[in-house]
Structures are given as structure tokens and as C-alpha cells.
Amino acid sequence: MVLPILTVTALVALVVVHLRWRQKYFLARESARVEFAAFQQEHQRAAGQIQTQQTALFDSMIEGLLLLDEHGKIQLANRAFAGLFGTASDLRGRTVLEVLRQHELTDLLTRVATEKQVDGYDLKLGGLNERWLQVNAAAITGAGGNPQGTLLVFHDLTRLKQLERTREEFVANVSHELRTPLSLIRGYVETLLDGAKDNPEVATKFLETIHRNSGRLQFLIEDLLTISELESGRLKMTLQPVALRPLVEKVLEDFKTQAAAKRVTLVNELPELAASADANRLHQLLGNLVGNAIKYGRPEGSVRILALRTDDGMIQICVRDDGPGIPAESLDRVFERFYRVDKARSRDQGGTGLGLAIVKHIVQGHGGKVWVESEPGQGAAFYFTLPEEKASLSV
Ligand code: ADP
């Protein structure tokens, strides 16, 4: 009788222990599952954060960046790349050729596969939006040296190339401008030495030409120095309150003889306004515009200077003539260095081709804008803006 009772008790105890153990096991399993889910979530969050940081880092680069996998498929292209080539931002899974249609890049990829690293590869993109790029490419390899992809970095050299081109053109223009009066001077001096000096009448004519051309050289060199000072940023504008009407009066006074010779009337129509400006530079700027208006305006015509206050705290000044004006296709170009509508006429009048480029620099140095309006046959009107001086003037 004792034995069955013991057996039953042992069985019951066993069942209880088993049930307890099962409960503990399920509790432990559940807690492990919850912990694992939390870990997974944390891992995903961290991975997402790294991805966002990586994208932000790549997108903040000025250079275009392209990452290809071992099959040549795009894995990543940053914002600068999309901007350079005008592509969509998500290019994943596509090939370089599909996206860019640049066969030079396929050649570059072939080279990288064998050379592992290619630096300074020049790539020129044609079309309307011409661009010069330099590409650095590197093969990415795994621990065992097996290929894992390619990294391409695109540097945009367009602006540098354009600056280089502008500088070359400038040097060529300056040389040409200097050569013309210089060879005239030499020619006339040689003729004088060869005997023309013995004929006083001829000698006087030749000396006048030499004098005129040496004057041209001097103007050109002075304008070149001004342009170089203005462009280098070395020259600081000394802004002070300037009463405009008296300043314009002084400028017109400088041109009295020149205007009288062409019977041109000079009219100062400025109201009492004051600008915050560099008085000497403003004098030079107005002198260039008034000088041009007399030079290129019509004989017996008029040159007027007007001004008004604009809504944005600026003063707009206008120098207007009633001459032949400027053709529409040249309106945007007259402010370029050495640009002339009529080369022969400008040179005859002693022009250097730099006057309006200087005007543009001075206006921009004051934070203003400059432009020209003209209807052929109706004269030209040059406008520029300057900041208004609000304080009362003691000038
Ligand atoms: P330049 O020394 O030849 O006068 P500028 O830079 O002062 O050089 O002017 C550039 C060109 O703009 C001139 O050669 C001329 O063709 C044109 N231009 C300037 N002002 C006038 C004007 N008031 N009327 C007609 N053409 C003008």
C-alpha cells in the first residue's frame, strides 16, 4: 500500500516540477525574443543613421562621386554627380553607359580594371553646357584581392578653364592694343630719321601723329592699371556722403571743351540727392559715360544726366545721349573688356575699349547695378544705381 502512494506522490511531484520548468522556459524564451527584437530595432536604427550620415556626407561634397559594384552597376551617385551630368538622383542598378552615354568613361573603367588607379583623366562634355571634368578612379578590392567595385570622383574644372581662356584672350587683346600705336610710332620715327625731319611741314604732321599715338598708349596703360586694381580687390572704395548735383557739375566742366568742339549741349538735370559713394571713383565713372556720350553721340546733340530715388533705398542715375545708339545685339556686350561696336571709330576717337568695363567694376564695387538701353537711332541711355546716403549732408 505504501509503494503505490509513494509512486503517485513522486509522479505528482514530477508533473509539478515539469510544469514549473516549462513555465520558466517559456518565460525565458519570451524575454529572449523581446530582447532580440529590441536589439534588431536598435541595429536597424543605427544602420539607418549611418546611411543618413553617409548620404549627407557624400551629398555635401563638391566633387561628383560614383560608386560601382563589381558588375559595373551603380550603387551610389551623390548630388554633385547628378548636378554635373543632369541625371536623376537615384541611379542604383544602372550602368555608367546607360546613364551617361560617355564612351570615354567605359575606356576609363577598362583602364582601372587593369591599372587599379587612374588619376587626372580629362573628360570634356560637349553640347550647349560645355564642361571640363577631371576624373580620379580607383578599383576597390576585397581582402583576397578580389574586385569589389570602382570608385569615381569627378572634379569640375569648367570655371578654371574659363578663367584661363579669359586671361589668354585678355593678354592677346592687350598685346594687340599696344602693338598698333607702338608700330605707328616706330614707323613715323623711322621715316623722320630717314629724312622727313628736314621738311618742317611733313615733320610737324608726323610728330602730331606720334604725339596722338603716345597719348593712346598712355590712356591704355592707365586704364589697364585701373582695371587691374579694381579686379584684384586691392582697391578699397572709400564710401562717404556725396552730393550728386555738384559732382555732376564738376564732371561736365571737365568736358566743356570736348562738347563745345562738337557743339553738344551738356545738361545737369539732377535733383538734390546724396549717395554713399567713393567720390573719386564716381567722378571717373561719370567721366567715362559722359565722355562716351559726347564721342559716340551726334554733333549738335545733347547729353543729359538725370537721377531718381528707387524703392529699395538706391539712387538710379542715367546718362543719356541722342546719337545713333547701340544695336540690340551689342547691348549686353559693351561692358566687356575691349568690346567695341565700331572698332575703327572707337580707335579714331582715342578709345581704349576699357571705359565701360571700368564703369561696371566701380558700380559693382558700390553694390550697384549697371545696364544700357538703346533704340537704334534714338540714342543710348546708360543707367547705374548707388546706395542712397540717408544722413543729412554737410558737403
Ligand atoms: P571705348 O574706349 O571704345 O569708348 P568703352 O568701353 O567706353 O570703350 O565703350 C565700348 C563700346 O561701346 C564703344 O567702343 C562704343 O562702340 C560703344 N558705346 C559706348 N557708349 C556709347 C554711346 N553713348 N553711344 C553709342 N555707342 C556707345
Side-chain angles (χ1 to χ4, degrees), residues 74-208:
I74 298 174
Q75 274 199 331
L76 184 145
N78 72 348
R79 192 178 295 159
F81 177 88
L84 268 178
F85 292 94
T87 62
S89 52
D90 191 4
L91 302 172
R92 268 173 301 180
R94 301 175 64 189
T95 66
V96 176
L97 198 59
E98 268 169 34
V99 173
L100 299 181
R101 313 221 162 272
Q102 293 287 329
H103 288 276
E104 293 101 312
L105 278 180
T106 324
D107 297 342
L108 173 65
L109 291 176
T110 320
R111 265 184 67 187
V112 185
T114 49
E115 295 172 31
K116 303 293 175 223
Q117 172 100 28
V118 178
D119 287 331
Y121 184 90
D122 287 317
L123 181 69
K124 190 170 164 215
L125 306 182
L128 270 182
N129 199 5
E130 197 178 58
R131 292 196 158 271
W132 280 272
L133 305 178
Q134 203 165 68
V135 194
N136 287 357
I140 306 168
T141 44
N146 53 321
Q148 289 197 334
T150 314
L151 181 69
L152 297 145
V153 182
F154 298 82
H155 305 266
D156 189 357
L157 302 186
T158 312
R159 174 118 187 87
L160 263 178
K161 288 273 184 195
Q162 279 166 347
L163 282 175
E164 208 174 289
R165 199 187 263 179
T166 312
R167 194 186 54 80
E168 281 166 8
E169 276 173 13
F170 184 63
V171 171
N173 275 325
V174 170
S175 316
H176 178 74
E177 295 291 332
L178 289 172
R179 195 188 298 135
T180 317
L182 210 57
S183 38
L184 276 170
I185 291 171
R186 270 187 75 99
Y188 281 102
V189 169
E190 275 165 17
T191 321
L192 280 169
L193 289 174
D194 282 349
K197 66 178 184 317
D198 301 325
N199 180 337
E201 210 178 309
V202 174
T204 311
K205 256 180 86 181
F206 281 13
L207 285 171
E208 275 167 7

Side-chain angles (χ1 to χ4, degrees), residues 292 295-296 321 325-326 334 339-341 346 351-353 355-356 382:
N292 278 352
K295 266 195 302 191
Y296 302 110
D321 66 66
I326 299 172
V334 287
Y339 182 84
R340 289 142 163 148
V341 178
S346 156
T352 61
L356 290 178
F382 283 85

Side-chain angles (χ1 to χ4, degrees), residues 232-306:
S232 69
R234 268 181 285 127
L235 200 95
K236 289 272 160 285
M237 301 279 167
T238 322
L239 300 188
Q240 56 192 11
V242 179
L244 293 173
R245 203 179 150 77
L247 180 86
V248 166
E249 209 46 51
K250 276 194 233 161
V251 174
L252 296 186
E253 189 66 30
D254 296 345
F255 286 92
K256 238 167 72 181
T257 322
Q258 210 170 312
K262 247 180 122 174
R263 289 190 301 283
V264 171
T265 318
L266 303 177
V267 192
N268 181 355
E269 291 188 7
L270 255 80
E272 296 299 332
L273 283 173
S276 169
D278 184 315
N280 290 332
R281 291 289 163 196
L282 185 54
H283 193 121
Q284 184 179 20
L285 181 173
L286 282 163
N288 284 358
L289 292 180
V290 173
N292 278 352
I294 300 172
K295 266 195 302 191
Y296 302 110
R298 68 181 176 90
E300 297 180 19
S302 66
V303 174
R304 298 177 181 278
I305 311 190
L306 318 97

